[in-house]
Amino acid sequence: EKSPIQGQASTLKAIIQTLGQNGFNWVTLWGGEPYMHPEIVALMEEVKKCGMRLQLIRNGTLLKPEETAELADNVVFSIDAPKAEVHDEIRGVRGTFARSMKNMHALSALIAKNGKGPGIEIDTTILKHNIGMLSQMIEFSRQFGDILVDFDPAQIQGTGNSSDTSIIEIPESVIESAFAELIENANNGAHISSAAKLELMRKNLLREPLQGPCMSLFKDLLLAPDGKAYFCWGWNKVVGNILDDGFKQDWEQAIRENIDAIDGNMDRCKGCGFSHVRWPDESAQKVIQQVNALRKRYFEQVI
């Protein structure tokens, strides 16, 4: 009889295989810390065996450097501040920063030694605890080479997000000052989120309504470890299970019932900073808008 852990691994492998069979290009294994799973390497190998590229998003507290360097195509470390005391306060566990730094250095050194390996990025979530030191992340990141620092506003709606609104209750003047500095750095060539994306984040944190084609529905399928599929990042609505035979019909029915989400016209969409800051550059926006318009027409007229 299988243990619960073995059963979970078999379910995850089945999900990965289903994604591969249906033409998906990328799989992101998301933390917390994916390396907490005892069979993480086998799951990473399954992604590659199914012909897909692999991204790991992680807090960096655990690491298997050799397997990561060999199997991953992209590794994103969630680092919220350049100082241990601030990062650890945000993460809620002392010592998190030190462990993450040790593992980032270990992976960077192995990639340099081998002359190949995954791309490394830093993701920094913006909230009241760290908004005064965002530009410091640029210099901090350079110890790992010319890597991207990608910023995201903290979200208080949707799957896995905090419902504590106080984390984004930041004085307007502080928001304006922090983003003016970041946007100037972006325009001067710093390897960070684009100026256009930063401008969307500024508006989101100022609680200005955003409207535009949904990038989450354009490119993502958000799955729980048991195969349950969520409608999007900004909504914890479960629409079915990818392992069920009728999943395609369940998914299409959910889209049809929430058709205005495709172009961001649902009320909940206008407060969602996540999907609106994925690919904000003008050329990408046009592509997404055109594709989403075709998809909306399909769901309205064909299904």
Side-chain angles (χ1 to χ4, degrees):
E1 189 171 323
K2 291 184 178 179
S3 71
I5 288 178
Q6 289 174 323
Q8 183 186 28
S10 65
T11 300
L12 288 166
K13 285 185 178 181
I15 292 170
I16 291 167
Q17 291 162 4
T18 300
L19 293 172
Q21 291 161 5
N22 284 277
F24 282 78
N25 298 314
W26 278 87
V27 169
T28 297
L29 300 178
W30 198 294
E33 179 49 73
Y35 276 93
M36 289 184 69
H37 196 287
E39 297 191 50
I40 182 61
V41 174
L43 296 172
M44 293 164 64
E45 290 173 341
E46 191 67 32
V47 172
K48 307 306 289 186
K49 189 188 303 182
C50 292
M52 296 177 289
R53 305 187 76 188
L54 173 65
Q55 181 183 56
L56 299 172
I57 298 181
R58 50 205 301 274
N59 63 31
T61 54
L62 300 172
L63 184 69
K64 296 177 189 272
E66 291 78 11
E67 290 86 350
T68 300
E70 179 183 353
L71 296 169
D73 295 285
N74 184 253
V75 182
V76 180
F77 287 84
S78 298
I79 306 295
D80 292 327
K83 297 180 179 179
E85 59 271 22
V86 179
H87 178 83
D88 288 358
E89 178 189 3
I90 293 170
R91 294 285 155 172
V93 180
R94 289 184 63 183
T96 298
F97 183 84
R99 291 194 295 274
S100 298
M101 290 303 95
K102 177 183 176 181
N103 288 327
M104 283 189 74
H105 281 295
L107 182 58
S108 297
L110 185 59
I111 293 170
K113 177 183 176 182
N114 294 342
K116 61 179 182 178
I120 298 178
E121 300 177 16
I122 289 174
D123 182 85
T124 298
T125 300
I126 302 172
L127 60 169
K128 68 178 182 180
H129 305 74
N130 64 358
I131 194 164
M133 55 182 62
L134 298 180
S135 289
Q136 296 176 36
M137 291 298 300
I138 300 170
E139 183 60 35
F140 168 82
S141 71
R142 289 176 179 147
Q143 64 188 293
F144 306 104
D146 183 27
I147 67 172
L148 173 69
V149 182
D150 198 18
F151 295 98
D152 283 307
Q155 294 300 300
I156 55 171
Q157 68 178 49
T159 307
N161 295 323
S162 172
S163 59
D164 180 8
T165 59
S166 69
I167 63 175
I168 55 171
E169 289 175 357
I170 306 168
E172 181 176 332
S173 60
V174 174
I175 295 172
E176 295 287 15
S177 175
F179 276 89
E181 189 173 359
L182 278 181
I183 289 171
E184 181 180 5
N185 278 306
N187 287 330
N188 288 334
H191 199 179
I192 61 176
S193 308
S194 70
K197 176 176 175 177
L198 291 166
E199 176 59 20
L200 285 175
M201 279 185 263
R202 183 189 71 82
K203 291 179 178 180
N204 176 257
L205 288 170
L206 290 172
R207 312 293 178 91
E208 296 182 19
L210 300 172
Q211 197 278 323
C214 180
M215 295 145 203
S216 178
L217 291 178
F218 174 80
K219 70 182 187 72
D220 293 334
L221 182 62
L222 178 59
L223 300 173
D226 60 0
K228 289 178 181 176
Y230 292 89
F231 185 80
C232 66
W233 281 102
W235 191 8
N236 57 2
K237 176 181 174 62
V238 174
V239 300
N241 191 304
I242 195 171
L243 298 177
D244 293 344
D245 291 339
F247 175 70
K248 183 176 184 291
Q249 290 76 21
D250 292 341
W251 175 254
E252 291 184 342
Q253 180 64 23
I255 295 289
R256 186 168 58 179
E257 291 173 355
N258 301 279
I259 194 71
D260 286 341
I262 289 179
D263 50 20
N265 279 332
M266 289 180 68
D267 286 342
R268 67 170 51 254
C269 301
K270 296 173 184 178
C272 175
F274 188 93
S275 68
H276 288 284
V277 299
R278 295 292 84 196
W279 296 340
D281 300 300
E282 187 176 355
S283 59
Q285 284 274 12
K286 288 180 179 178
V287 171
I288 296 165
Q289 192 166 18
Q290 291 168 355
V291 172
N292 279 14
L294 290 173
R295 294 175 69 220
K296 186 173 183 180
R297 193 177 311 152
Y298 167 78
F299 284 109
E300 288 177 329
Q301 298 179 4
V302 177
I303 295 181

